[in-house]
Amino acid sequence: MRHGKKIIKLSRKSQHRHATLSNMAASLIQHKRINTTLAKAKALKKYFEPIITRAKSDTTHARRMVFRKLQNKDAVIALFRDVAPKVGERAGGYTRILKTEFRTGDNASMCLIELVDFNENMLKAATEQKAPAKKK
């Protein structure tokens, strides 16, 4: 039984798992959305959300702690310059997982993981819904 074991292992050893999640997190920062399997997206969400929370305070210590997880200088710069100011007032839930089709080769469930505040189509739809309708 696996009571209390909350790490999604992804059928990898720990170093391989950390490298995979670090690379996926850097890609998510640079591209704002990536297409991956559902299991990897769920593991990435648990790995990535504390990184964004840490990036809200732009200090040297926070940058070093984020770099320790990401190991990508360009991703750290983009995170502190572009992503963190946009999600500064959000209390959590920085990523969204949208399920898509199944992969044709092995029928794995695929999904799209994206940063919530960077989807322009959904932001436009939300502002249009908030505008009150005029009554005649």
Side-chain angles (χ1 to χ4, degrees):
M1 288 184 280
R2 49 180 319 272
H3 297 301
K5 299 185 192 274
K6 296 181 178 164
I7 295 174
I8 301 172
K9 292 191 177 181
L10 299 174
S11 298
R12 290 164 168 80
K13 305 255 178 174
S14 64
Q15 289 110 0
H16 188 194
R17 185 172 57 247
H18 289 305
T20 302
L21 292 174
S22 175
N23 288 333
M24 288 175 63
S27 296
L28 184 60
I29 291 169
Q30 291 171 352
H31 301 292
K32 309 300 187 248
R33 67 174 61 174
I34 55 175
N35 192 14
T36 184
T37 62
L38 186 61
K40 284 183 188 175
K42 287 181 179 179
L44 179 62
K45 188 170 187 170
K46 287 179 121 178
Y47 183 84
F48 187 64
E49 300 249 346
I51 291 173
I52 296 182
T53 303
R54 172 89 57 184
K56 283 184 179 181
S57 63
D58 190 5
T59 61
T60 305
H61 179 65
R63 283 182 180 265
R64 287 178 179 165
M65 296 300 285
V66 168
F67 183 76
R68 187 162 74 165
K69 290 280 192 176
L70 292 180
Q71 294 293 317
N72 189 337
K73 193 174 185 178
D74 298 329
V76 173
I77 291 169
L79 175 66
F80 279 92
R81 185 183 51 212
D82 301 332
V83 178
K86 205 161 187 181
V87 298
E89 62 274 354
R90 185 177 283 274
Y94 311 111
T95 57
R96 176 185 299 126
I97 296 175
L98 302 169
K99 292 182 183 178
T100 58
E101 74 283 351
F102 292 96
R103 191 162 51 198
T104 54
D106 59 353
N107 205 24
S109 58
M110 299 297 286
C111 69
L112 184 78
I113 183 167
E114 64 182 3
L115 293 172
V116 172
D117 292 328
F118 287 91
N119 190 344
E120 291 82 16
N121 296 331
M122 287 188 143
L123 291 175
K124 288 179 187 175
T127 56
E128 289 174 2
Q129 286 179 352
K130 288 183 182 178
K134 294 182 179 179
K135 294 184 181 179
K136 293 183 180 179

